[in-house]
Amino acid sequence: VQECEKPALEWALKSLVAAHNLPAGTELASDMVVAKRAGGGIPPSEFHKLLGRRLRVSVAADAPITLKSLIS
């Protein structure tokens, strides 16, 4: 990646976000998670790693799902 391309990377890449409001304790299923721009969060290539995991905190619709929001 060239230096001039770096600012566009975060905008161009996608991250996994909540498809709708998800309360704390929710066990994530495939219909609850979607990929949207901008990047910087969990990449869509790691979608399978989220399935079956539970949320530590509530996540609003379109908000990124982060590793910190998951129960380990």
Side-chain angles (χ1 to χ4, degrees), residues 12-68:
L13 298 178
K14 294 183 177 183
S15 293
L16 296 174
V17 301
H20 48 84
N21 292 332
L22 300 173
T26 298
E27 183 176 322
L28 294 175
S30 60
D31 63 333
M32 299 175 183
V33 181
V34 295
K36 291 190 175 182
R37 288 184 176 163
I42 298 173
S45 61
E46 297 192 25
F47 176 78
H48 65 283
K49 293 180 182 179
L50 296 183
L51 300 180
R53 302 271 311 264
R54 290 195 180 275
L55 291 174
R56 177 185 313 277
V57 296
S58 297
V59 180
D62 294 325
I65 298 172
T66 64
L67 293 177
K68 289 182 178 182

